[in-house]
Amino acid sequence: MNQNRGTAPGPGAFNRRKEPVIKIIGGEFRGRNILASPGKTTRPMTAMVKKSLFDTLAPYMIDANVADIYCGTGTIGLEALSRGARLCHFAEMDRHALDLLRRNIETLNVAGSSVIWAGDVVRRLRQWLDEMKKPLDLVFVDPPFPAVREWDWSAVQETIFDPLAAKMSAGGLVALRLPAETDHPENIGDLQLARTKHYGGMKVLLLERADKET
């Protein structure tokens, strides 16, 4: 179980600027409020969608080493910590989102279970991954939808998915969220498509790492 957790500050201290707020929906922090991004470039996950996805991912969650790539304010990675993940690496470039992420981490008192990767994912992901001491068990990749619609899959395989696959445990899983209409390859390098979950205007690809040791 994660350590160094405590109670949230008062409501005024938590959200002075009246940012959007959502609730953790399961696990240790169920019902706790955290700050969310306005959702201008992606469709925020509803509670129903999040519950469906996390119910599917439950076998991968306990004591997992997790990464939340393009994390925004960390709502997905923090949900994973609430549900038993041991450590989450949060990767984000937007400064405002990073500020809200840090406030969320402070509110839930999970600094000891959190690592923040601040900067351009495409340029810096490989370096961040090289600094890890243990392989990843579960990765969430939630890029801005406008960027996804212009993706060159060969390029993003080289800069994002190949580095991730190389640093994952055997049988590790990537959950990639895309607009529903986006075409995608069946496999992305060593990541093999295991299942696609459809949710209205979005879909989540569940990609398994090929069964070999790092």
Side-chain angles (χ1 to χ4, degrees):
M1 187 61 65
N2 300 318
Q3 303 297 317
N4 301 319
R5 294 176 169 178
T7 58
F14 173 66
N15 196 10
R16 292 189 181 92
R17 292 179 55 181
K18 303 301 181 183
E19 305 285 356
V21 171
I22 65 171
K23 290 185 182 294
I24 299 287
I25 63 170
E28 181 181 356
F29 303 128
R30 181 178 180 179
R32 296 279 292 276
N33 288 333
I34 54 174
L35 301 170
S37 298
K40 294 180 180 179
T41 57
T42 63
R43 293 191 180 190
M45 282 190 189
T46 65
M48 184 177 297
V49 170
K50 194 180 294 184
K51 180 180 185 306
S52 172
L53 178 61
F54 274 88
D55 285 350
T56 300
L57 298 177
Y60 297 86
M61 201 70 60
I62 301 302
D63 205 32
N65 189 23
V66 175
D68 187 358
I69 309 299
Y70 300 105
C71 70
T73 64
T75 57
I76 298 298
L78 293 169
E79 186 78 34
L81 288 176
S82 180
R83 292 170 180 257
R86 171 175 49 84
L87 180 67
C88 186
H89 304 76
F90 296 92
E92 177 56 58
M93 181 170 67
D94 183 84
R95 291 183 179 180
H96 182 55
L98 284 165
D99 176 62
L100 300 184
L101 168 64
R102 292 184 177 99
R103 289 165 64 186
N104 284 338
I105 289 171
E106 180 181 2
T107 294
L108 297 182
N109 200 15
V110 291
S113 304
S114 303
V115 176
I116 296 177
W117 292 335
D120 188 315
V121 169
V122 170
R123 294 185 179 184
R124 299 191 60 187
L125 182 60
R126 194 180 298 270
Q127 173 193 338
W128 292 330
L129 292 168
D130 284 344
E131 294 170 355
M132 292 191 317
K133 294 181 172 61
K134 294 185 178 181
L136 292 166
D137 305 302
L138 178 61
V139 180
F140 299 94
V141 182
D142 191 8
F145 282 6
V148 170
R149 293 185 176 104
E150 299 181 1
W151 264 5
D152 176 331
W153 283 96
S154 296
V156 295
Q157 176 183 326
E158 180 180 354
T159 56
I160 297 176
F161 295 102
D162 283 349
L164 284 173
K167 295 296 182 177
M168 293 181 68
S169 57
L173 195 74
V174 173
L176 168 61
R177 185 161 73 127
L178 303 172
E181 76 279 5
T182 304
D183 292 328
H184 59 83
E186 286 295 304
N187 302 316
I188 309 176
D190 287 333
L191 297 172
Q192 301 173 353
L193 183 62
R195 184 175 177 184
T196 303
K197 296 178 70 67
H198 295 273
Y199 304 104
M202 69 184 76
K203 60 187 173 184
V204 178
L205 310 186
L206 301 181
L207 301 149
E208 290 183 337
R209 184 184 180 274
D211 196 12
K212 60 184 182 181
E213 296 299 328
T214 55

